[in-house]
Amino acid sequence: NAGVTQTPKFQVLKTGQSMTLQCAQDMNHNSMYWYRQDPGMGLRLIYYSASEGTTDKGEVPNGYNVSRLNKREFSLRLESAAPSQTSVYFCASSPGQQETQYFGPGTRLLVL
Amino acid sequence: AQSVTQLDSQVPVFEEAPVELRCNYSSSVSVYLFWYVQYPNQGLQLLLKYLSGSTLVKGINGFEAEFNKSQTSFHLRKPSVHISDTAEYFCAVSGATNFGNEKLTFGTGTRLTIIP
C-alpha cells in the first residue's frame, strides 16, 4: 500500500516549457487535490476533483490544467511555465471532501 | 468561507519543555478542524482532528488540541517536546455542512524548532 505517489520528485523547466505532474493513489479514495506550497503562504488549493469525472478550480488555478484520468490518477499540467510557478506541489486524496486528506511526498519545481 | 490564522511563524523551544502552537479560525458555519505536521522534505501527515464531541482531542506523538468555540481557537499542545518534533505544523479548517463540498483551508504554518 503506497498511499499517494507523485512523479517526478524534482524538475527544472525553462520559461515557456510545458510539463505534467503525475499523481496516483491506491486507497480507493473519491476525492483528489493539487496544492502548491510557497514560503510563508501555507498550502493553496490549485484544483480538485470531488469524484471521478469531475474537476473544479481552487484558489489559484490560473496557468494550470488538470485531468482526472480515472479513480486512481489525477494529473496537473503546466502548459507554459512561468517563474511564478516555482513551488513545491503536493497531491492529496481523501475518501470524501470533508474527510482526512492524505498527502504525497511532493514535487519540487524550479522554473528559470 | 473559512479562514485560519496561525499567529506564530516560528517557535523555538528547549527539548523537554512544553509547547503551544496557536491557531484561530473564522467561519460562519460549524467547522471541522485539523492539525497536520510536515517533517523536512516530506508531505503532510495528520496529527489530529476535531469533528464533534469532546473538545479535547488527542493525536499522535503525544500532541493534543482543544477546540474552543467561544474563542474560535484550536491550539496545539505537547507537555514535553523531543528533537524529533522539529517540523512545520499546519492548522486547517473546513465547513461542517451537509453539502459535502466544503474544502480544506490551511494556515500559513508554524515552524517548530527544538533546541537541545
Side-chain angles (χ1 to χ4, degrees):
Chain A
N1 188 340
V4 179
T5 56
Q6 293 182 236
T7 55
K9 286 191 170 62
F10 305 95
Q11 184 72 48
V12 179
L13 291 178
K14 294 181 180 176
T15 296
Q17 288 185 316
S18 63
M19 78 162 295
T20 300
L21 282 66
Q22 306 285 356
C23 174
Q25 53 93 6
D26 61 2
M27 296 174 282
N28 201 35
H29 286 170
N30 290 312
S31 302
M32 297 185 74
Y33 313 82
W34 276 106
Y35 294 91
R36 60 178 289 173
Q37 183 180 28
D38 302 291
M41 303 191 75
L43 275 78
R44 293 181 292 168
L45 183 64
I46 305 171
Y47 270 93
Y48 68 101
S49 171
S51 60
E52 187 179 356
T54 70
T55 60
D56 283 290
K57 295 178 181 179
E59 184 184 352
V60 289
N62 291 345
Y64 305 95
N65 283 301
V66 290
S67 295
R68 183 74 182 266
L69 304 167
N70 47 56
K71 192 170 186 179
R72 290 187 64 248
E73 298 172 287
F74 188 39
S75 63
L76 178 72
R77 183 159 178 83
L78 287 70
E79 291 291 351
S80 179
S84 60
Q85 293 178 305
T86 292
S87 188
V88 182
Y89 292 85
F90 287 101
C91 178
S93 70
S94 63
Q97 281 192 79
Q98 290 171 289
E99 299 180 68
T100 300
Q101 293 186 18
Y102 296 81
F103 285 78
T107 294
R108 285 158 179 75
L109 175 66
L110 173 62
V111 183
L112 301 173
Chain B
Q2 292 75 43
S3 67
V4 178
T5 302
Q6 291 185 246
L7 297 166
D8 305 300
S9 59
Q10 296 189 61
V11 173
V13 179
F14 285 105
E15 195 173 12
E16 298 183 8
V19 68
E20 178 180 84
L21 305 183
R22 297 180 292 170
C23 172
N24 287 87
Y25 69 91
S26 173
S27 176
S28 58
V29 299
S30 297
V31 294
Y32 298 143
L33 291 156
F34 305 79
W35 275 99
Y36 283 84
V37 60
Q38 183 181 31
Y39 297 107
N41 298 314
Q42 294 186 27
L44 280 72
Q45 56 181 277
L46 183 72
L47 261 184
L48 49 80
K49 61 185 176 184
Y50 170 79
L51 302 181
S52 64
S54 173
T55 57
L56 183 62
V57 180
K58 293 190 184 297
I60 61 171
N61 300 340
F63 284 92
E64 64 181 31
E66 184 149 25
F67 171 54
N68 187 320
K69 189 174 181 180
S70 62
Q71 307 265 351
T72 60
S73 67
F74 191 55
H75 300 333
L76 181 70
R77 300 185 185 100
K78 186 170 182 179
S80 175
V81 295
H82 188 266
I83 288 284
S84 59
D85 294 321
T86 295
E88 190 148 20
Y89 292 79
F90 291 93
C91 183
V93 63
S94 73
T97 68
N98 292 324
F99 301 129
N101 61 350
E102 297 283 348
K103 294 180 286 296
L104 206 55
T105 299
F106 285 87
T108 52
T110 297
R111 187 172 298 277
L112 177 63
T113 301
I114 308 304
I115 305 164

